[in-house]
Amino acid sequence: MGIGAGSGRGQFFLRPLLFLLLAGAPAPRSAGGQLRYAVPEELEHGAFVANLGEDLGLDVSTLSARRFRIVSRAGARQHLEVNLENGILFVNERIDREEVCEAGGTCLLHLQLLIESPLELYRVEVEVLDINDHAPTFPWQEYVLEVAESAVLGARFPLESAQDPDVGTNSVHTYRLSPNGFFSLEVQTRSDTSKFAELVLERALDREQQRAHRVLLTALDGGVPERSGTAHILVTVLDANDNVPAFDQPSYGVSLPEDAPAGTLVIQLNATDLDEGPNGEIEYSFSGHAPPRVRELFQIEPRSGQVLLKGPLDYERASLHELYVQAKDRGPSAVAVHCRVLVHLLDVNDNAPEVTLTSVSTPVLEDAPPGTVIAVISVLDRDSGDNGRVSCEVSPDVPFELRSSFRNYYTLVTTQALDREVVSEYNVSITARDMGSPALLTRSTLTVPVSDVNDNAPRFLQPSYSVYVMENNAPGASICSVSALDPDCQQNAYLSYSIAEGYIHGMPVGTYVSINSDSGHMYALRSLDYEQIHSFQIQVQAQDAGFPPLSANVTVHIFVLDQNDNAPVIVSPMPHNGSMATELVPRSAGPGYLVGTVSAVDADAGLNSRLSYQLLQATDFTLFSLAPDTGELRTLRSFLEQDATRQRLVVQVRDGGQPALSATVSLLLSVVDTMPQTLSDFSEFSLPPETSSSFPVTLYLLVSLGSISFTFLLAILILTAIRCRGEHNSHQGGGCSPPQCHCCPGSRPSSDSLKTSNLTAQPAAGTTAAACHDVPGGGPPGYCYKVCLGPESAQSDFMFLKPCSPPRNNEKDPGKQSRLGQHLQVSKQIKQPNTDWLPPSMQRPALKRYQ
């Protein structure tokens, strides 16, 4: 193949540059609401195409921030690109028009331009202009044409056509034949405007004079500069074969579905030759200028003339195939005749729609308003007609819909408010369906996660909590746990617990309980005492870490459970001087006589304070009985002469706790013949009528009582004077020794203190020395009190109370005395007795003293 004089490869790139210099920048042309530009092929990388920023009216400074870009299908080559700094559309890689557009005609590059914030979509068409960068070429550089010498003048012999990938004026324009004396050249035009040449016999051939003729065939295109290609033709003159084959018609047309399988009969060709023998046997084949694509798709049976399908057809690639078939007999000097077969392909719905997610904005906030754009979706069906028309839809069970913005472009938007706590993620099924029969569809799933917004406050698992804590608990021990839930996620669901400020019995609530801010476990900071506090309540708050934070409160009721930690305390009768309590019982008392009532209290509650009375020891168990519930001591029978006059009883008081606690008291009952009017350790007894009616006895008792009272008062005055003098001396010595107890009027407790103490001191008969008794529970807390009685005060109701002085061995250390005084001033809280189980009959009467 030869190349013309203007076919230097270096000139290929000079023409596009010259084209741009002469024509200037391509001006945009509006084509149906879109921009259209033209650019020659074979431009170098970076060549200017258009200023999109100016033509579209965009702010160039925001192109990068708004992600201005060209949207293309996956795997497609990016021939053009946009400079985000100036908005110029430039050549990204060399464009070969013959490679991009295999078919002839206008070659267009369809660009989809996308810009976000707000979302905008533009369509731009760029026409690739052909340049004359290819020279015409022949299939062979030299081929042989056999012509019978009997060929008549004017006989035409089709020649192989030259191929030029360029289009328009740059394609094959004409043919030239080198000068000779036998042949001329005529150029014919096909229906698709392509050119082919025919050799015309102008002078009779004589094989005996010249057996072969050589001519040069030149194919010229119409480009500037002109390019050409040559082929050498050797015309061999054959001996006469008078008849040539003839087809029924010069052109055939046939329709074939694109999904026809290989081996399908396309057409049965039939040519006839009037000759006989080998001169009449016809062979069929493709002509020399049949395109390679045709040879790949079709084949011809040489003897039968059947055109069969060889390869797969594709309507979307080419809807028409033009086959050039020649028929030639097998005789000498065989002449080939040609016909054209046009194969029209019928479109079949063999391409499912393609769904492309052009832009996706996920995740989406759950408080996004309806109409928020989630994604831009493009659909494409390469079929034509109804087979290429596509409808797109989403599943109806999601709060999204598709809105059509351009042809085959959709935006996925929200239709209602979202709630992440109900659905945290949506799998949106997008279905693209064409209108073919049968219809083809494509499903694509888009996962749309919903991001959380702090729109849910914490919620406790219970409306309130009731906690039961046993008293005397260990400080720091866990007492309960509260828990709340937040349907939000991440930091919006992270909860911290705290206790609201408040006071419990005047003390901050934080001194009683604490809470772990992460787990909600609550701890007691102090040991609780049921006798001091039965119950209290606190407010616990749970707050999330969202912005703004949300919180919830719950009330926690804490009930202190009683523990049997207090033993019963016997309040009546009270023993005197550390000994047992005494009582007089008349010998005349009959069965059921009420001697007295043992009274006790327990600071606990419930079963722990339910008291029962029991007689542990007795001189004679057959003589007395003790009521287990009320503590009433009664006689079982009358006294006999042989019964002892002094009856010793030990009474135990036991509570109902587990384990049970108890207290005991010893009673000394004296059986007397005559019952005096005196104070009893139990209560006031009624004397029999016969004794009260005895006037001499009554007079005797009155005189005796007056004498003893006078003597007692006189002894008290003398004792007071002596003790005051001794007290004056003891102040200089630093205190009193344990065997002595100094009492003076100045140190006498108030009457209120005496009333509070509920003490009655009674020394044993015959006591002559002063006795000091500890006073249980009497006086102010922190002081040690003793009862000081003189030798004459055995039958007196007066009591002298004073604080106990520190020991004498501390006299020489004033600092220790000061510290000891501070220590003694610390108040010790005394539990008050619980009277829940006291019987109503236990009203203690005034005490009487026996003279």
Side-chain angles (χ1 to χ4, degrees):
M1 179 182 65
I3 304 298
S7 62
R9 190 62 181 173
Q11 297 179 0
F12 286 178
F13 303 106
L14 295 178
R15 292 187 61 197
L17 296 177
L18 181 61
F19 179 89
L20 290 177
L21 291 175
L22 293 177
R29 291 176 290 167
S30 176
Q34 62 185 12
L35 296 178
R36 184 169 182 175
Y37 302 92
V39 60
E41 65 174 333
E42 301 294 342
L43 289 180
E44 295 292 336
H45 173 77
F48 176 86
V49 177
N51 191 338
L52 293 178
E54 179 179 349
D55 295 340
L56 296 177
L58 302 176
D59 186 359
V60 177
S61 61
T62 63
L63 295 182
S64 178
R66 298 179 63 185
R67 299 183 63 195
F68 185 60
R69 63 190 183 275
I70 297 176
V71 180
S72 60
R73 289 192 305 169
R77 299 178 62 178
Q78 195 77 14
H79 296 288
L80 302 176
E81 190 57 77
V82 178
N83 189 333
L84 297 181
E85 296 180 358
N86 51 26
I88 291 178
L89 181 67
F90 64 92
V91 176
N92 186 45
E93 63 179 21
R94 185 181 67 85
I95 305 174
D96 187 353
R97 182 194 175 282
E98 288 73 26
E99 179 182 351
V100 174
C101 302
E102 294 183 2
T106 304
C107 182
L108 295 177
L109 295 179
H110 299 276
L111 304 181
Q112 309 291 338
L113 303 179
L114 183 67
I115 188 169
E116 300 180 357
S117 301
L119 185 68
E120 295 178 323
L121 188 67
Y122 303 94
R123 301 182 66 180
V124 175
E125 290 184 350
V126 178
E127 180 181 359
V128 181
L129 302 177
D130 183 50
I131 64 174
N132 193 22
D133 57 341
H134 295 87
T137 59
F138 288 92
W140 301 280
Q141 292 184 359
E142 183 175 349
Y143 60 92
V144 178
L145 177 63
E146 296 180 346
V147 179
E149 64 177 346
S150 60
V152 297
L153 298 179
R156 297 174 179 271
F157 305 97
L159 301 178
E160 294 290 339
S161 298
Q163 302 295 324
D164 192 338
D166 295 327
V167 297
T169 58
N170 294 328
S171 64
V172 177
H173 179 64
T174 188
Y175 293 88
R176 284 203 304 246
L177 190 66
S178 61
N180 63 89
F182 292 91
F183 300 96
S184 66
L185 192 69
E186 285 190 11
V187 179
Q188 302 292 336
T189 302
R190 299 188 181 94
S191 60
D192 59 353
T193 70
S194 62
K195 307 286 186 179
F196 66 94
E198 290 182 341
L199 200 61
V200 180
L201 182 62
E202 298 291 343
R203 181 181 171 185
L205 299 175
D206 188 355
R207 181 178 175 276
E208 287 70 23
Q209 293 183 0
Q210 187 176 355
R211 301 181 60 177
H213 302 271
R214 290 184 177 272
V215 294
L216 179 65
L217 180 63
T218 302
L220 302 173
D221 62 20
V224 179
E226 185 181 72
R227 295 179 181 276
S228 63
T230 60
H232 294 277
I233 301 176
L234 177 61
V235 179
T236 302
V237 180
L238 302 177
D239 197 12
N241 184 7
D242 299 319
N243 298 287
V244 297
F247 285 100
D248 297 339
Q249 56 192 52
S251 180
Y252 296 89
V254 63
S255 297
L256 190 67
E258 63 171 325
D259 60 347
T264 300
L265 177 63
V266 178
I267 190 172
Q268 174 69 59
L269 298 177
N270 185 29
T272 58
D273 193 326
L274 298 179
D275 294 330
E276 294 182 354
N279 293 333
E281 296 178 359
I282 301 174
E283 291 184 348
Y284 301 90
S285 64
F286 285 113
S287 64
H289 54 270
R293 178 65 178 168
V294 171
R295 298 176 185 270
E296 294 175 0
L297 297 177
F298 303 94
Q299 66 180 5
I300 299 178
E301 291 293 332
R303 302 304 297 271
S304 64
Q306 291 181 344
V307 180
L308 303 177
L309 184 62
K310 180 180 179 181
L313 302 176
D314 190 353
Y315 177 88
E316 289 70 38
R317 185 171 180 178
S319 60
L320 174 67
H321 294 281
E322 191 171 4
L323 284 64
Y324 290 94
V325 181
Q326 67 179 11
K328 184 170 62 174
D329 59 32
R330 301 181 64 185
S333 304
V335 178
V337 295
H338 300 79
C339 74
R340 183 178 65 171
V341 179
L342 298 179
V343 180
H344 299 273
L345 299 186
L346 302 178
D347 184 37
V348 175
N349 192 21
D350 58 344
N351 292 282
E354 299 176 5
V355 178
T356 304
L357 299 177
T358 303
S359 178
V360 180
S361 300
T362 57
V364 58
L365 292 174
E366 62 175 322
D367 61 349
T372 301
V373 177
I374 305 301
V376 177
I377 302 168
S378 63
V379 293
L380 175 66
D381 194 318
R382 292 185 298 168
D383 294 322
S384 61
D386 290 341
N387 296 332
R389 286 201 295 270
V390 180
S391 63
C392 199
E393 60 185 12
V394 296
S395 53
D397 57 343
V398 294
F400 303 97
E401 68 176 2
L402 289 175
R403 296 178 181 175
S404 178
S405 53
F406 294 97
R407 182 176 180 269
N408 293 337
Y409 276 84
Y410 298 87
T411 55
L412 182 67
V413 299
T414 59
T415 58
Q416 63 187 42
L418 307 178
D419 191 348
R420 191 207 65 82
E421 289 69 41
V422 177
V423 180
S424 62
E425 183 178 87
Y426 291 92
N427 291 322
V428 183
S429 178
I430 303 170
T431 304
R433 188 191 313 270
D434 60 26
M435 303 298 178
S437 179
L440 299 180
L441 58 87
T442 299
R443 285 191 176 91
S444 179
T445 301
L446 173 62
T447 300
V448 181
V450 182
S451 60
D452 186 46
V453 174
N454 193 25
D455 56 349
N456 290 279
R459 179 176 55 85
F460 283 92
L461 299 182
Q462 299 178 208
S464 64
Y465 290 83
S466 296
V467 181
Y468 298 90
V469 181
M470 188 67 69
E471 67 170 331
N472 302 320
N473 59 291
S478 176
I479 58 175
C480 72
S481 176
V482 296
S483 180
L485 297 178
D486 195 318
D488 295 322
C489 67
Q490 297 179 355
Q491 70 173 16
N492 294 332
Y494 177 77
L495 302 181
S496 61
Y497 300 90
S498 62
I499 297 177
E501 295 182 359
Y503 292 90
I504 300 174
H505 289 192
M507 296 294 291
V509 68
T511 62
Y512 279 83
V513 292
S514 66
I515 191 169
N516 187 306
S517 60
D518 295 327
S519 63
H521 290 290
M522 298 179 62
Y523 304 91
L525 298 180
R526 60 168 64 183
S527 180
L528 302 177
D529 191 348
Y530 175 84
E531 288 71 37
Q532 293 183 359
I533 181 171
H534 290 356
S535 65
F536 59 92
Q537 66 183 26
I538 59 176
Q539 292 288 328
V540 176
Q541 181 186 74
Q543 179 173 291
D544 59 30
F547 183 82
L550 302 178
S551 62
N553 293 342
V554 70
T555 301
V556 179
H557 301 273
I558 299 178
F559 299 92
V560 182
L561 300 179
D562 183 46
Q563 191 178 39
N564 193 23
D565 57 344
N566 294 282
V569 177
I570 298 176
V571 298
S572 175
M574 295 292 294
H576 302 293
N577 299 328
S579 62
M580 62 184 66
T582 61
E583 186 53 63
L584 301 179
V585 181
R587 183 175 295 275
S588 59
Y593 175 78
L594 179 61
V595 179
T597 301
V598 179
S599 300
V601 294
D602 194 316
D604 294 322
L607 291 176
N608 296 330
S609 64
R610 184 186 293 272
L611 302 180
S612 62
Y613 300 85
Q614 181 182 4
L615 192 60
L616 289 182
Q617 299 178 12
T619 304
D620 187 353
F621 281 98
T622 64
L623 190 55
F624 299 99
S625 66
L626 186 65
D629 296 328
T630 61
E632 293 180 348
L633 182 63
R634 296 180 180 272
T635 58
L636 291 174
R637 58 178 177 82
S638 301
F639 288 96
L640 304 177
E641 291 296 333
Q642 63 271 22
D643 291 334
T645 59
R646 298 174 68 85
Q647 296 287 332
R648 185 178 182 275
L649 306 178
V650 176
V651 177
Q652 181 189 59
V653 183
R654 179 186 296 267
D655 59 26
Q658 291 294 332
L661 301 178
S662 62
T664 58
V665 63
S666 298
L667 304 177
L668 182 60
L669 303 181
S670 298
V671 181
V672 297
D673 295 327
T674 303
M675 192 68 178
Q677 294 292 335
T678 180
L679 291 176
S680 171
D681 285 340
F682 284 103
S683 58
E684 187 172 349
F685 295 99
S686 299
L687 296 178
E690 59 274 11
T691 59
S692 60
S693 61
S694 177
F695 176 78
V697 176
T698 301
L699 180 60
Y700 171 76
L701 291 176
L702 291 176
V703 173
S704 299
L705 180 59
S707 303
I708 293 174
S709 298
F710 177 80
T711 305
F712 179 77
L713 290 176
L714 181 60
I716 289 300
L717 293 176
I718 297 173
L719 181 59
T720 300
I722 295 173
R723 292 302 172 88
C724 288
R725 181 179 300 174
E727 183 70 15
H728 177 71
N729 296 332
S730 66
H731 285 312
Q732 297 178 357
C736 64
S737 61
Q740 297 177 350
C741 190
H742 304 280
C743 302
C744 63
S747 60
R748 184 176 301 169
S750 65
S751 60
D752 293 338
S753 299
L754 293 176
K755 293 177 181 178
T756 306
S757 64
N758 291 329
L759 298 178
T760 303
Q762 180 178 353
T767 302
T768 58
C772 297
H773 301 280
D774 291 332
V775 180
Y783 282 82
C784 175
Y785 286 88
K786 292 188 177 182
V787 179
C788 302
L789 302 176
E792 300 83 6
S793 61
Q795 299 175 354
S796 174
D797 288 338
F798 288 91
M799 293 178 292
F800 295 87
L801 307 177
K802 77 178 293 291
C804 182
S805 301
R808 291 185 180 272
N809 54 8
N810 292 333
E811 293 177 356
K812 298 181 180 181
D813 191 353
K816 292 183 178 179
Q817 294 178 2
S818 175
R819 289 192 298 270
L820 182 58
Q822 295 177 359
H823 175 71
L824 292 176
Q825 291 176 0
V826 177
S827 63
K828 179 179 180 182
Q829 202 169 19
I830 300 178
K831 300 179 180 179
Q832 297 299 320
N834 189 305
T835 59
D836 294 343
W837 296 94
L838 285 180
S841 62
M842 294 179 62
Q843 302 294 332
R844 185 180 181 188
L847 299 179
K848 292 185 179 181
R849 180 72 56 195
Y850 175 70
Q851 293 181 349

